[in-house]
Each structure stands twice: as structure tokens, then as C-alpha cells.
Amino acid sequence: MLDNLDLNAIQDENARELIRRLLNLIEQLTADLRDAQAENQRLRDENNRLKGEQGKPKIKANTPKPAVDHSSEKERRKPRQRHKSSKKAAIVIDREQVVEVDRAQLPGDAEFKGYEEVVVQDILLKTDNVCFRKQKYYAPSNRRTYLAQLPQGYEGQFGPGVKALTVALYFGMGSSEPKILEFFENVGILISQGELSNLLIKDQECFHAEKDAVYEAGLRSSPWQHTDDTQTRVNGQNQHCHVVCNPVYSAYQTTPTKERLAVLDVLRNGRERRFRLNQEALSLLEGVVLSKAARQLLQTWRSEVDLDEVTFQQRLDTWLPKLSLQQHKAILDAAAVAAYHAETDFPVIQALICDDAPQFNWLTRAMMLCWVHAGRPFKKLTPVVPLHRTLLDDFLKRFWDYYDQLLAYRQNPTPEESVRLEADFDSLFATRSGYDELDRRIAKTQAKKAALLLVLKYPELPLHNNPAELAVRQRVRKRDVSFGPRTQDGCQAWDTFMTLAATTKKLGVSFYAYVQDRIAGTHHIPPLAELVEKAAKELNLGWSWSVA
């Protein structure tokens, strides 16, 4: 009976409103019932466990149920015409070999007509073990011995080929240490587990320095950046890996927490914290509950001078000892953000593209929220009333149609189109369908208008945060294979080499060739920071900021 229900066909307004409320009550009761059933089963299992029994067994069905898909890929994806390109032109020819025809099979009148080329790709896996005979001289005049130095990269027991391949397999391909050991054993390289681990994490100062240079160049390459984070286990303890990226680089950095100050540390590449309690900081604190006396005292501290963390903390502890933890943290955050915005010797990000997690608030003067994240809560709605399913489907179609219009605007932005799209946003999110859960979600999205429509002011901003999420996925995959680093050296190596691997991929540089080039000291590949700067200039990632 509910399948063909049309509320508009009901003439009596009171009856129509009553039925609308009843339908929403059905949705609410159904949701409550699902939650209660799950909680009841959990309590039964816990009760059985306390009695020394077992809970409900988890028996998989013969045919597994399809996973719940909250992705918007189907709605957003636009079919592209595929053009299969030839790979032959990109193949480097290492040697040529003439294949001759057996002349015994040729008739007497056969004439030579040239060659027909066939390119076959192959690879050789073999050792290149070297026994160096280092010349040694002794000078009686000064009683000194002179010994020839090994070529760069051959320090220790392994040459640049093994060292580079170890790093490329572990960080570039995500292989585990046992599998790398197995591979080397099959090739004929004798190496222990400890030696392999040392090749990955020890004496990597040159790579750490280049990672820092790449990150700073990436921060300077555009006024906007993507960011996201995921959990990382370090020596069995939960920490958080943060990703900051744009089209020309990706940087990874692991911190113990993901609070606002930790994210700010990442954006400042771990430099010493500074605090400035100026008018901007006080403005950020307007929404924080503070006593009148505390606000008056903070006003007397207003200054454009930075303080180090110890001095600022001591001032708070001495003069405002009764602050709650939340108030104390809010003052620290506001002062740290104000000091960051006032920096001149380090790139300051103007806009973050991220989700709406609270730790990202305040950090930049502008924030662009991801439209994919904005659409995901709508996909998670599970109406049981057919009318509500129809209302949800209709709204989602309008939602993604509007998204397509924003994509078109980015390609050809005009002031007139910006005004029209803003008006269409207001119209779309003023929708009141009568399905209460949908209407509440629409209202929540409408409240984020400024962050969702920042693209109208800066058209080069992407509409989604997929680059950061894809970068985070690489850490998740590495975490699944290798679980997590066990030392701070290992943690730093994970961040450094994942940064360099992701950045070389975006720059079109072979990660293996890059690592071997640096280890061998040939430096045929330019510094990655220079390549990042060059690529950013070509893409002109912040053109609307320069116009403004």
C-alpha cells in the first residue's frame, strides 16, 4: 500500500501532515529497532561469556552478502573515451640481434628484402658481486698508510644495486622484509634480516634532508593543500600518519596524536612551536567559554611578539591556573595558529582541502570541504518507506547534477556563473522533502555553504579530497603488510621514503632509479625540490590567488 503512496494526492492538509509524521515515525522506530537488536545480541553474547559460554557463532553464508557501498563513484563517474596508446615507442632497446633465415630452406631465386623488427621485453636477474682490490701505500717519511677509497655507494657489504632495490621493494612496492629476503635468496644475495633492516632505516640522512626540501617546496608550490590522516602503529603504540599533498608532491609525517597542534606541527614540518596572543588569537577565542576576568587578562597580554612554548605555558600556569583542560588547550591552539599565520620565513597555507574534522578548524584562513564527504552521509541513509527512498534518490540526483555544474565552472569560471551557482546552492539546500532524516542532513550540509563553495572564489581548488585519501591508502596498505615501524628511526624512514616514492611518481621519475642515483652519488636526477617547483610553475596551481 505504501509503494504507490502520493502525499500530494491527499486533499486534507491535516491528514497529509499526520501521514507524513507517521511515515517518519516508522523510519525512526525501524532505526531504533535495528540498534536495539544489535545491542541485545551484544548483551546476550557478553552474558554468555561471563557464564563461561560462547556468544552467537559467526557463520558465514554460502553466498556472501554484497558489502554496503557508500561510495559516490557511480554518480560522479563520467565515461571517458579510451585511446589505447602504443608502448613500443617508450621501450628502451638494450641490444639488437639479427635472426637469420636458414639458407638451406631458401629457393635459388630468393632475394633479401631487409628486416622485420620485433621488440621483445625481457629482464636479467643476476648478481654483480665485486671483489675490490684496494691499493695500499706506506710512506716511511710520515709513517702513514694510504688506502684507496671504494666508489660511492659501495660502503659496507652491499652495493648501490642491492641498497636501492631494497628501498624500492619495501617502500615503492610495499613488499614485506621476509619477501625481500626470499627474493634476494633466490637471486643469490646472502643477507640477514638485521642487515636488511639496517639498509632500510640506518644512515639515511641525505634522504631525510631531501624529504624536508621536497616538503617545503611542495608547501610553496600552491596556496592550497590537501590533507588527511590515518592510524599508524609505532612500536605497538597508536600514532597518526598525516598526509599533505597537491598535484606535484605528497608528504607523510607521523605524530603521536592528531589534535590541532599536532596538525599544525605537520604543516610547519616539525619546527619549534611559537605562540602569539594577538587580536587574531583573541578573535578565535570569542566562541570559547572563558570567565570575564580571564578575558580581561588575555586582553592585557595582546602582542605581536612570539613566545616559545615553555614561556607561554608558564605564563598560563602562573596567571590562569584555574583554566580547564579544554580552555587551556583552546588558548594554546589560538595563539599557535596566530603565530603560524604571521610567519614570513616559512610557507603558510592559505586553504586546506579536507573533511570537516574539528582539528582542521582555525588552521588556515579558508577551508574547502570535500564534496564526496558531503555526499556520503546521504548515501548512508537507509529509508524503509518507498516514498522516502524516492525522495532520497531524487535529491541525490540533484546533488550530483549540481556537482557536475561546479566541475564545469572550474573549467570556465565567470562572475555571472559564480552568482548563479551560489543561488542554485541556496535553492538546492532549501529543499524540505518531508522525510525528516533527509531534511536534517540537508540542513547540516547547508550550514557548510562557505566551505563547500570556496571553489567559486578560487576555481583551481579541487572539489574532493581524493588525492589525500589515495595517499593515505598507501600507508594503510603498507601497514597491512608490515604492521608498523618499531623504532623512531623506522618511523622516520617510513615517512621519508613514502614521501619520496609518492613524489617521484607524481613527477614521472622512477623511484628505483632515483634511489640508486642518490646512493651511487651520480646525481643525474636533479633535486626533487627543483622538479616540484618546476612542475608547480607549469601547472600554475595558485593562479586565482595571484589575480586576487
Side-chain angles (χ1 to χ4, degrees), residues 111-291:
E111 298 180 3
F112 179 68
K113 296 295 185 180
Y115 297 94
E116 180 177 321
E117 293 186 347
V118 177
V119 177
V120 178
Q121 297 184 77
D122 199 3
I123 190 171
L124 297 176
L125 291 175
K126 63 178 183 178
T127 60
D128 186 30
N129 301 330
V130 184
C131 177
F132 288 102
R133 302 182 65 198
K134 301 192 297 182
Q135 289 184 341
K136 182 165 61 172
Y137 289 85
Y138 176 74
S141 59
N142 57 10
R143 297 181 180 181
R144 287 186 59 187
T145 298
Y146 296 85
L147 188 64
Q149 298 295 316
L150 291 177
Q152 185 171 339
Y154 285 90
E155 302 84 359
Q157 304 177 54
F158 304 97
V162 170
K163 294 175 182 177
L165 189 57
T166 300
V167 171
L169 289 174
Y170 189 77
F171 293 108
M173 294 181 56
S175 300
S176 65
E177 290 188 33
K179 284 300 178 182
I180 297 175
L181 284 171
E182 182 180 341
F183 170 77
F184 281 144
E185 181 182 349
N186 286 321
V187 175
I189 296 293
L190 303 180
I191 183 172
S192 69
Q193 183 177 353
E195 290 169 335
L196 182 71
S197 179
N198 287 337
L199 290 182
L200 292 170
I201 67 176
K202 297 295 185 182
D203 302 322
Q204 306 291 9
E205 285 74 17
C206 66
F207 289 107
H208 297 323
E210 185 151 15
K211 182 252 187 181
D212 288 339
V214 165
Y215 187 29
E216 184 168 345
L219 292 174
R220 294 188 187 279
S221 66
S222 71
W224 54 269
Q225 305 285 339
H226 294 276
T227 190
D228 202 358
D229 62 76
T230 188
Q231 192 178 85
T232 290
R233 298 274 287 182
V234 180
N235 196 24
Q237 301 299 310
N238 289 331
Q239 296 195 18
H240 296 270
C241 174
H242 304 262
V243 171
V244 182
C245 64
N246 68 20
V248 296
Y249 87 106
S250 294
Y252 294 78
Q253 193 158 326
T254 302
T255 63
T257 69
K258 62 174 183 178
E259 62 182 4
R260 186 176 291 119
L261 279 181
V263 179
L264 190 59
D265 289 340
V266 171
L267 299 183
R268 301 179 69 249
N269 199 23
R271 297 161 69 239
E272 182 184 358
R273 289 179 177 177
R274 309 297 296 175
F275 298 85
R276 177 179 296 199
L277 197 63
N278 58 8
Q279 185 56 50
E280 180 186 5
L282 294 173
S283 298
L284 292 174
L285 292 172
E286 288 179 357
V288 178
V289 177
L290 292 170
S291 67

Side-chain angles (χ1 to χ4, degrees), residues 178-426:
K179 284 300 178 182
I180 297 175
L181 284 171
E182 182 180 341
F183 170 77
F184 281 144
E185 181 182 349
N186 286 321
V187 175
I189 296 293
L190 303 180
I191 183 172
S192 69
Q193 183 177 353
E195 290 169 335
L196 182 71
S197 179
N198 287 337
L199 290 182
L200 292 170
I201 67 176
K202 297 295 185 182
D203 302 322
Q204 306 291 9
E205 285 74 17
C206 66
F207 289 107
H208 297 323
E210 185 151 15
K211 182 252 187 181
D212 288 339
V214 165
Y215 187 29
E216 184 168 345
L219 292 174
R220 294 188 187 279
S221 66
S222 71
W224 54 269
Q225 305 285 339
H226 294 276
T227 190
D228 202 358
D229 62 76
T230 188
Q231 192 178 85
T232 290
R233 298 274 287 182
V234 180
N235 196 24
Q237 301 299 310
N238 289 331
Q239 296 195 18
H240 296 270
C241 174
H242 304 262
V243 171
V244 182
C245 64
N246 68 20
V248 296
Y249 87 106
S250 294
Y252 294 78
Q253 193 158 326
T254 302
T255 63
T257 69
K258 62 174 183 178
E259 62 182 4
R260 186 176 291 119
L261 279 181
V263 179
L264 190 59
D265 289 340
V266 171
L267 299 183
R268 301 179 69 249
N269 199 23
R271 297 161 69 239
E272 182 184 358
R273 289 179 177 177
R274 309 297 296 175
F275 298 85
R276 177 179 296 199
L277 197 63
N278 58 8
Q279 185 56 50
E280 180 186 5
L282 294 173
S283 298
L284 292 174
L285 292 172
E286 288 179 357
V288 178
V289 177
L290 292 170
S291 67
K292 184 177 180 180
R295 289 194 184 278
Q296 289 175 346
L297 183 60
L298 292 177
Q299 282 288 347
T300 64
W301 292 353
R302 187 172 60 180
S303 170
E304 293 297 335
V305 176
D306 289 347
L307 299 177
D308 61 71
E309 187 169 13
V310 173
T311 302
F312 195 74
Q313 289 272 22
Q314 288 177 345
R315 177 178 286 190
L316 287 179
D317 294 340
T318 302
W319 295 98
L320 293 170
K322 295 184 179 180
L323 289 175
S324 67
L325 291 177
Q326 292 82 358
Q327 292 170 329
H328 190 93
K329 180 181 182 303
I331 295 174
L332 286 177
D333 289 355
V337 168
Y340 169 60
H341 290 171
E343 288 197 46
T344 57
D345 58 345
F346 195 79
V348 177
I349 300 172
Q350 300 300 313
L352 274 181
I353 304 171
C354 55
D355 57 33
D356 58 351
Q359 67 265 24
F360 298 129
N361 295 333
W362 295 4
L363 292 177
T364 52
R365 301 188 187 280
M367 180 187 293
M368 175 72 189
L369 290 182
C370 172
W371 274 84
V372 175
H373 278 87
R376 196 166 294 162
F378 293 100
K379 295 277 290 187
K380 291 183 178 180
L381 295 178
T382 54
V384 295
V385 175
L387 174 62
H388 292 169
R389 286 200 295 268
T390 300
L391 292 171
L392 176 60
D393 291 342
D394 290 345
F395 180 81
L396 280 174
K397 183 178 184 307
R398 295 171 58 201
F399 182 96
W400 294 114
D401 284 346
Y402 182 79
Y403 176 87
D404 291 340
Q405 294 179 55
L406 289 177
L407 287 177
Y409 170 81
R410 292 181 70 245
Q411 301 301 317
N412 185 27
T414 63
E416 296 77 16
E417 187 67 0
S418 174
V419 172
R420 184 189 70 80
L421 286 170
E422 184 173 0
D424 286 357
F425 181 96
D426 293 335

Side-chain angles (χ1 to χ4, degrees), residues 444-495:
K444 289 181 179 180
T445 306
Q446 184 183 34
K448 302 171 185 176
K449 173 183 175 180
L452 287 169
L453 291 186
L454 189 63
V455 65
L456 298 182
K457 184 177 181 181
Y458 303 111
E460 68 268 42
L461 290 177
L463 297 181
H464 54 71
N465 201 29
N466 285 3
E469 293 196 354
L470 292 174
V472 160
R473 190 176 300 171
Q474 294 303 313
R475 173 57 67 97
V476 173
R477 289 175 176 172
K478 185 61 186 166
R479 186 182 67 202
D480 291 342
V481 172
S482 302
F483 190 59
R486 291 176 293 176
T487 65
Q488 285 305 312
D489 285 344
C491 184
Q492 187 179 16
W494 275 44
D495 290 343

